[in-house]
Amino acid sequence: MEELVEFTHKIGHINFPIMMFLMKAFMVLFIVVSVIIFIYDRYIQRENQLLINYPLIGRLRYVFYALRDPMRQYFGDEKFFESFDKVKWVYDAASRKSVYASFSPGQPLKKEHLGIKNANCVFNSEDVTEDFSVTFGEHLPIPFTTHSVLGRSAMSDGAISPEGTRAFTKGAFLGKFPINTGEGSLTSNFFYTHEYTRECKFFEIHEGTFFAKGVYKIIKFLLNSAIAQKVYKHMVITGDAPDSYLFSKKELLFYRVDWSKPLDVFPSTVPDDMPDIIFQMGSGLYGVRDEAGEFCETRYQKTMRFCRMTEIKMAQGAKQTGGKLLADKVTQEIAYYRGVPANKDLFSPNKFPYASSLVELFDFIGRLKALSKKPVGVKIVLSSKENFLEYAALLQERISAGSDAYPDFITIDGGDGGSGAAPLEMMLRVGMDIQSALEIAHATLQEYGVRERVKLIASEKVLTPDDAFILYALGADYVAIARAFMMSAGCIRARECSGAHGRSCPVGLATQDAKKRASFLIEKKAKNIASYHNQLIAGLRNLLAISGVKRLRELSKDNLSNI
């Protein structure tokens, strides 16, 4: 003990001249800079009156303001979701941690929320059927039967980083759930799990020389494969959009789909090593338009050789306008994918070009079905029952007439549907909440006798299994999830997705910033994404069991209660 006291006494008298010098230099520099800023704020600048009255201290306002969004979740109450416990559930599920909670959530449910009725005599989880699938377009030549009733909602490659899209693609493949392309088109990154083979004649390839391959192998041995691949790419690809190519570690070549190849070289069926992809067509027609910006039938047919069905985006909860991508996100790769100029703001038109009326829209749907032989649907936001009656009436008319020109499914996004870039006034005031909208759509389709022919997809603020359970009980056949899948991929909810104000996603998920993207862990996040989906299904199975229901399609409003 005496030796310890003596040792600590000696430490207190040790001199650190270099450290003391650095501290003094820092203090002098700090004082000099502070004086300069003080003089500038008080006597020179005449743009900010706060800084005139409170130089230096007034600048703290802008520091704290910049930290408000990314830091709010750590120091403020959770107001957006029911409680932070639901947010934590998503992160725990993705990280394969225990999803059990202790005591009650941090914020109690409000009275207007729907509850889940438990049965007098419940089932065990293994008693619930394992068939968590749904079939779209049963009457079509190529219907789509999913492996899951849950999937990732629309997120465009562009709004999401290339690495993020690859992680979602791999996660969807591992978890066996569908993934929606978003309106940004079917890009190379959705082919992440589809390995290049010599039989794939639809690929454009770039292969290095013997010397370039040797350089790659040496750098990989001395450093790592990521740096080796980067150097090798610079040696092999000299044109625009180098990041639009995938890399084959086996063949040591770069490849991407060559959409100029003839239709007959594209596969007749979706390759087995790709996930189930839902192609979304927005008002910009990205990925299926010609040089004049018009719809191209051949390009659409090529795209659908890799996709299971098509969703026409008429509206999204937070966007009753077309998609928005600020210039910082419109890289050479995104410009290449979408056929637009690079480094310029990209705002899609509000109006879908083939939807001046519902009749024209339905006719266009029939045209797409004839081209693809696969299901086609629409994504909408409801504002009232009257808003939906026109859809139901025309559906009844077309189905009664034996026409195929009608949507096989309708995706309903609630008014709180998320977006990385949307007008604030639309986020807050446009559209009904998903529960009210879904209930109206389900009841109206039943009233018009067409419910069995039209599937309903629901989307809005779904985080945990109970969120999804309620939507199924209200009539949903399938639930599409966006923000929670983002969280499972590493999103920390910093609210810097758009890239506005000079800030971008800090984890490299929703940005095109090369430095931040470089640290994104694709393979790890892919496993997390798949794990989140699997926990959702497990939780849904548990809820069905305690509700006394063995099959998901047996759910109804009778399984819910007002609390």
Side-chain angles (χ1 to χ4, degrees):
M1 185 66 182
E2 293 178 358
E3 293 178 355
L4 179 61
V5 172
E6 184 180 354
F7 175 72
T8 56
H9 180 73
K10 289 181 179 179
I11 289 180
H13 288 82
I14 293 177
N15 192 12
F16 296 96
I18 297 178
M19 184 170 292
M20 292 301 296
F21 171 77
L22 292 175
M23 290 180 64
K24 291 177 180 179
F26 175 79
M27 289 301 297
V28 171
L29 180 63
F30 177 77
I31 292 172
V32 171
V33 172
S34 297
V35 171
I36 293 173
I37 294 176
F38 180 90
I39 294 173
Y40 175 79
D41 285 345
R42 175 63 63 86
Y43 301 108
I44 298 177
Q45 69 88 17
R46 286 298 178 267
E47 295 181 358
N48 191 310
Q49 61 193 37
L50 174 66
L51 297 182
I52 296 174
N53 294 329
Y54 299 95
L56 290 180
I57 293 178
R59 289 185 175 271
L60 290 177
R61 175 183 188 273
Y62 303 102
V63 174
F64 295 140
Y65 192 80
L67 295 175
R68 177 182 175 86
D69 274 346
M71 303 299 290
R72 79 193 191 289
Q73 58 184 306
Y74 309 117
F75 303 108
D77 293 333
E78 181 60 71
K79 299 182 183 301
F80 190 73
F81 300 106
E82 290 167 353
S83 72
F84 183 75
D85 299 86
K86 295 177 77 70
V87 175
K88 187 174 182 297
W89 190 96
V90 176
Y91 290 130
D92 287 343
S95 302
R96 295 168 292 284
K97 297 179 181 178
S98 172
V99 292
Y100 290 102
S102 300
F103 297 100
S104 59
Q107 181 176 328
L109 294 175
K110 299 176 183 178
K111 290 185 178 180
E112 63 268 19
H113 282 224
L114 291 172
I116 298 172
K117 292 180 181 178
N118 61 293
N120 289 330
C121 298
V122 301
F123 295 120
N124 291 322
S125 297
E126 54 268 24
D127 295 328
V128 177
T129 177
E130 295 185 2
D131 183 22
F132 282 87
S133 65
V134 58
T135 300
F136 295 89
E138 294 95 334
H139 61 290
L140 294 176
I142 310 177
F144 172 36
T145 299
T146 70
H147 296 285
S148 175
V149 289
L150 294 160
R152 198 208 73 170
S153 189
M155 297 184 208
S156 297
D157 189 2
I160 303 299
S161 68
E163 292 76 13
T165 300
R166 293 177 184 185
F168 280 124
T169 299
K170 181 69 174 287
F173 181 73
L174 294 174
K176 292 182 169 48
F177 61 85
I179 180 173
N180 190 307
T181 65
E183 62 178 299
S185 79
L186 180 69
T187 67
S188 301
N189 297 306
F190 288 100
F191 290 78
Y192 181 66
T193 59
H194 184 38
E195 182 61 47
Y196 169 81
T197 62
R198 299 289 177 181
E199 290 74 30
C200 297
K201 304 299 182 183
F202 51 85
F203 280 133
E204 170 191 347
I205 65 170
H206 290 266
E207 188 170 4
T209 62
F210 179 80
F211 173 76
K213 291 180 179 179
V215 171
Y216 168 82
K217 293 176 180 178
I218 292 172
I219 296 178
K220 180 182 178 182
F221 176 77
L222 295 176
L223 299 175
N224 58 58
S225 59
I227 295 177
Q229 182 180 328
K230 186 175 182 180
V231 173
Y232 185 54
K233 181 184 291 185
H234 281 297
M235 298 178 70
V236 176
I237 302 176
T238 57
D240 293 336
D243 287 344
S244 63
Y245 292 87
L246 297 170
F247 179 62
S248 171
K249 295 180 180 179
K250 181 180 179 181
E251 301 283 348
L252 294 188
L253 52 78
F254 295 94
Y255 62 101
R256 68 182 182 187
V257 178
D258 184 354
W259 297 108
S260 66
K261 292 288 183 69
L263 180 62
D264 57 11
V265 305
F266 286 81
S268 57
T269 59
V270 177
D272 293 335
D273 57 0
M274 294 184 70
D276 291 334
I277 300 174
I278 300 171
F279 174 69
Q280 187 181 76
M281 187 185 303
S283 59
L285 303 177
Y286 303 128
V288 290
R289 66 183 197 171
D290 57 24
E291 294 181 357
E294 300 295 327
F295 175 68
C296 177
E297 291 189 349
T298 304
R299 178 61 188 274
Y300 173 70
Q301 287 179 302
K302 293 175 182 177
T303 297
M304 293 310 297
R305 296 295 177 92
F306 305 102
C307 300
R308 300 292 185 178
M309 64 182 187
T310 303
E311 178 183 81
I312 297 175
K313 178 185 172 184
M314 296 291 287
Q316 180 182 324
K319 276 191 297 203
Q320 301 296 301
T321 60
K324 300 182 182 300
L325 210 59
L326 301 185
D328 286 346
K329 285 191 169 185
V330 187
T331 61
Q332 290 182 339
E333 286 73 24
I334 301 307
Y336 162 76
Y337 292 139
R338 303 193 184 192
V340 298
N343 305 313
K344 293 184 179 180
D345 289 344
L346 181 58
F347 293 169
S348 300
N350 290 359
K351 174 186 171 185
F352 189 77
Y354 301 96
S356 297
S357 65
L358 286 191
V359 171
E360 183 183 16
L361 173 63
F362 278 36
D363 289 342
F364 184 68
I365 289 173
R367 181 181 172 188
L368 296 182
K369 284 186 180 183
L371 291 170
S372 69
K373 313 299 183 186
K374 297 179 179 181
V376 180
V378 294
K379 183 174 186 176
I380 63 175
V381 175
L382 296 188
S383 296
S384 65
K385 181 174 181 178
E386 290 72 24
N387 187 240
F388 190 69
L389 287 177
E390 189 178 355
Y391 273 95
L394 190 54
L395 279 165
Q396 184 186 57
E397 178 184 325
R398 293 292 173 94
I399 291 173
S400 298
S403 170
D404 266 344
Y406 68 89
D408 298 294
F409 65 91
I410 298 176
T411 302
I412 299 177
D413 200 13
D416 285 337
S419 176
L424 180 64
E425 64 273 16
M426 293 188 183
M427 288 185 176
L428 297 176
R429 300 292 184 184
V430 178
M432 300 176 69
D433 67 273
I434 185 60
Q435 294 181 5
S436 301
L438 183 59
E439 191 172 1
I440 287 173
H442 177 64
T444 304
L445 292 178
Q446 283 185 324
E447 180 183 341
Y448 278 76
V450 295
R451 181 64 181 89
E452 294 301 317
R453 299 292 293 270
V454 181
K455 295 294 190 294
L456 288 177
I457 298 177
S459 175
E460 183 202 73
K461 283 172 62 175
V462 173
L463 295 187
T464 52
D466 53 304
D467 298 330
F469 182 98
I470 289 173
L471 298 184
Y472 294 123
L474 291 174
D477 298 293
Y478 175 93
V479 170
I481 302 172
R483 75 182 79 223
F485 269 119
M486 286 283 287
M487 291 157 61
S488 73
C491 169
I492 62 171
R493 304 188 300 144
R495 294 177 64 184
E496 294 176 350
C497 318
S498 68
H501 312 298
R503 299 193 298 271
S504 57
C505 173
V507 299
L509 175 58
T511 180
Q512 299 300 316
D513 184 288
K515 292 182 179 179
K516 292 180 178 178
R517 285 169 36 202
S519 62
F520 191 85
L521 306 173
I522 297 175
E523 294 298 325
K524 178 182 178 181
K525 297 305 180 184
K527 293 178 182 177
N528 288 2
I529 291 163
S531 177
Y532 168 65
H533 168 266
N534 294 341
Q535 285 283 15
L536 279 174
I537 293 296
L540 187 59
R541 186 186 302 277
N542 288 337
L543 287 173
L544 288 170
I546 64 101
S547 299
V549 176
K550 289 187 176 182
R551 295 176 180 80
L552 188 66
R553 59 181 59 91
E554 294 175 1
L555 281 181
S556 69
K557 287 176 61 178
D558 293 337
N559 296 103
L560 303 178
S561 63
N562 290 316
I563 57 173

mmCIF file of all heavy atoms in Angstrom, residues 196 198 203-207 245 253-256:
data_model
loop_
_atom_site.group_PDB
_atom_site.id
_atom_site.type_symbol
_atom_site.label_atom_id
_atom_site.label_comp_id
_atom_site.label_asym_id
_atom_site.label_seq_id
_atom_site.Cartn_x
_atom_site.Cartn_y
_atom_site.Cartn_z
ATOM 1 N N TYR A 196 -21.356 -13.402 -62.087
ATOM 2 C CA TYR A 196 -21.111 -13.453 -63.527
ATOM 3 C C TYR A 196 -20.732 -14.865 -63.956
ATOM 4 O O TYR A 196 -19.950 -15.554 -63.296
ATOM 5 C CB TYR A 196 -19.982 -12.499 -63.914
ATOM 6 C CG TYR A 196 -19.501 -12.688 -65.331
ATOM 7 C CD1 TYR A 196 -20.198 -12.120 -66.396
ATOM 8 C CD2 TYR A 196 -18.376 -13.471 -65.610
ATOM 9 C CE1 TYR A 196 -19.780 -12.313 -67.698
ATOM 10 C CE2 TYR A 196 -17.953 -13.667 -66.911
ATOM 11 C CZ TYR A 196 -18.654 -13.089 -67.953
ATOM 12 O OH TYR A 196 -18.246 -13.283 -69.248
ATOM 13 N N ARG A 198 -19.992 -17.098 -67.852
ATOM 14 C CA ARG A 198 -19.756 -16.921 -69.300
ATOM 15 C C ARG A 198 -21.040 -17.108 -70.110
ATOM 16 O O ARG A 198 -21.137 -16.636 -71.240
ATOM 17 C CB ARG A 198 -18.697 -17.919 -69.775
ATOM 18 C CG ARG A 198 -17.341 -17.759 -69.097
ATOM 19 C CD ARG A 198 -16.619 -16.510 -69.536
ATOM 20 N NE ARG A 198 -15.345 -16.328 -68.823
ATOM 21 C CZ ARG A 198 -14.530 -15.296 -69.015
ATOM 22 N NH1 ARG A 198 -14.840 -14.363 -69.890
ATOM 23 N NH2 ARG A 198 -13.403 -15.202 -68.332
ATOM 24 N N PHE A 203 -24.433 -9.409 -70.162
ATOM 25 C CA PHE A 203 -23.505 -8.594 -69.383
ATOM 26 C C PHE A 203 -22.476 -7.902 -70.273
ATOM 27 O O PHE A 203 -21.982 -8.487 -71.248
ATOM 28 C CB PHE A 203 -22.766 -9.432 -68.344
ATOM 29 C CG PHE A 203 -23.552 -9.706 -67.098
ATOM 30 C CD1 PHE A 203 -23.620 -10.992 -66.576
ATOM 31 C CD2 PHE A 203 -24.217 -8.683 -66.424
ATOM 32 C CE1 PHE A 203 -24.327 -11.257 -65.414
ATOM 33 C CE2 PHE A 203 -24.936 -8.949 -65.268
ATOM 34 C CZ PHE A 203 -24.987 -10.226 -64.765
ATOM 35 N N GLU A 204 -22.159 -6.677 -69.920
ATOM 36 C CA GLU A 204 -21.005 -5.970 -70.484
ATOM 37 C C GLU A 204 -19.844 -6.209 -69.522
ATOM 38 O O GLU A 204 -19.982 -5.975 -68.319
ATOM 39 C CB GLU A 204 -21.316 -4.481 -70.588
ATOM 40 C CG GLU A 204 -20.129 -3.605 -70.934
ATOM 41 C CD GLU A 204 -20.421 -2.129 -70.769
ATOM 42 O OE1 GLU A 204 -21.617 -1.767 -70.632
ATOM 43 O OE2 GLU A 204 -19.467 -1.334 -70.750
ATOM 44 N N ILE A 205 -18.703 -6.662 -70.032
ATOM 45 C CA ILE A 205 -17.599 -7.013 -69.141
ATOM 46 C C ILE A 205 -16.340 -6.213 -69.477
ATOM 47 O O ILE A 205 -16.133 -5.790 -70.620
ATOM 48 C CB ILE A 205 -17.287 -8.519 -69.195
ATOM 49 C CG1 ILE A 205 -16.789 -8.927 -70.574
ATOM 50 C CG2 ILE A 205 -18.482 -9.341 -68.785
ATOM 51 C CD1 ILE A 205 -16.247 -10.348 -70.625
ATOM 52 N N HIS A 206 -15.522 -5.996 -68.442
ATOM 53 C CA HIS A 206 -14.209 -5.376 -68.595
ATOM 54 C C HIS A 206 -13.226 -6.229 -67.800
ATOM 55 O O HIS A 206 -13.346 -6.348 -66.581
ATOM 56 C CB HIS A 206 -14.208 -3.939 -68.077
ATOM 57 C CG HIS A 206 -14.996 -2.998 -68.923
ATOM 58 N ND1 HIS A 206 -14.421 -2.238 -69.920
ATOM 59 C CD2 HIS A 206 -16.317 -2.697 -68.933
ATOM 60 C CE1 HIS A 206 -15.370 -1.499 -70.501
ATOM 61 N NE2 HIS A 206 -16.521 -1.765 -69.915
ATOM 62 N N GLU A 207 -12.265 -6.793 -68.504
ATOM 63 C CA GLU A 207 -11.305 -7.688 -67.871
ATOM 64 C C GLU A 207 -9.905 -7.124 -68.013
ATOM 65 O O GLU A 207 -9.510 -6.640 -69.087
ATOM 66 C CB GLU A 207 -11.390 -9.085 -68.499
ATOM 67 C CG GLU A 207 -10.580 -10.137 -67.782
ATOM 68 C CD GLU A 207 -10.884 -11.544 -68.284
ATOM 69 O OE1 GLU A 207 -11.680 -11.667 -69.246
ATOM 70 O OE2 GLU A 207 -10.342 -12.507 -67.726
ATOM 71 N N TYR A 245 -20.340 -0.885 -62.130
ATOM 72 C CA TYR A 245 -19.922 -2.252 -62.415
ATOM 73 C C TYR A 245 -19.805 -3.068 -61.133
ATOM 74 O O TYR A 245 -19.378 -2.562 -60.094
ATOM 75 C CB TYR A 245 -18.570 -2.271 -63.130
ATOM 76 C CG TYR A 245 -18.591 -1.707 -64.526
ATOM 77 C CD1 TYR A 245 -18.407 -0.348 -64.743
ATOM 78 C CD2 TYR A 245 -18.800 -2.532 -65.628
ATOM 79 C CE1 TYR A 245 -18.417 0.180 -66.031
ATOM 80 C CE2 TYR A 245 -18.813 -2.012 -66.920
ATOM 81 C CZ TYR A 245 -18.623 -0.660 -67.110
ATOM 82 O OH TYR A 245 -18.646 -0.145 -68.386
ATOM 83 N N LEU A 253 -12.993 -9.806 -63.080
ATOM 84 C CA LEU A 253 -13.481 -8.892 -64.115
ATOM 85 C C LEU A 253 -14.648 -8.082 -63.557
ATOM 86 O O LEU A 253 -15.249 -8.427 -62.538
ATOM 87 C CB LEU A 253 -13.902 -9.663 -65.367
ATOM 88 C CG LEU A 253 -14.885 -10.835 -65.247
ATOM 89 C CD1 LEU A 253 -16.315 -10.360 -65.094
ATOM 90 C CD2 LEU A 253 -14.762 -11.732 -66.469
ATOM 91 N N PHE A 254 -14.942 -6.989 -64.231
ATOM 92 C CA PHE A 254 -16.056 -6.118 -63.854
ATOM 93 C C PHE A 254 -17.182 -6.315 -64.865
ATOM 94 O O PHE A 254 -16.928 -6.475 -66.070
ATOM 95 C CB PHE A 254 -15.606 -4.658 -63.834
ATOM 96 C CG PHE A 254 -14.584 -4.365 -62.775
ATOM 97 C CD1 PHE A 254 -13.234 -4.407 -63.067
ATOM 98 C CD2 PHE A 254 -14.977 -4.059 -61.479
ATOM 99 C CE1 PHE A 254 -12.277 -4.152 -62.094
ATOM 100 C CE2 PHE A 254 -14.040 -3.802 -60.497
ATOM 101 C CZ PHE A 254 -12.684 -3.847 -60.796
ATOM 102 N N TYR A 255 -18.422 -6.287 -64.376
ATOM 103 C CA TYR A 255 -19.552 -6.547 -65.259
ATOM 104 C C TYR A 255 -20.786 -5.752 -64.833
ATOM 105 O O TYR A 255 -20.947 -5.391 -63.673
ATOM 106 C CB TYR A 255 -19.886 -8.040 -65.288
ATOM 107 C CG TYR A 255 -20.296 -8.621 -63.943
ATOM 108 C CD1 TYR A 255 -21.637 -8.846 -63.629
ATOM 109 C CD2 TYR A 255 -19.346 -8.958 -62.979
ATOM 110 C CE1 TYR A 255 -22.023 -9.390 -62.414
ATOM 111 C CE2 TYR A 255 -19.717 -9.506 -61.760
ATOM 112 C CZ TYR A 255 -21.053 -9.712 -61.482
ATOM 113 O OH TYR A 255 -21.428 -10.239 -60.276
ATOM 114 N N ARG A 256 -21.624 -5.443 -65.803
ATOM 115 C CA ARG A 256 -22.926 -4.825 -65.568
ATOM 116 C C ARG A 256 -23.830 -5.209 -66.728
ATOM 117 O O ARG A 256 -23.358 -5.632 -67.798
ATOM 118 C CB ARG A 256 -22.818 -3.307 -65.455
ATOM 119 C CG ARG A 256 -22.445 -2.595 -66.745
ATOM 120 C CD ARG A 256 -22.294 -1.094 -66.559
ATOM 121 N NE ARG A 256 -21.991 -0.430 -67.823
ATOM 122 C CZ ARG A 256 -21.678 0.865 -67.921
ATOM 123 N NH1 ARG A 256 -21.630 1.619 -66.835
ATOM 124 N NH2 ARG A 256 -21.418 1.395 -69.107
#
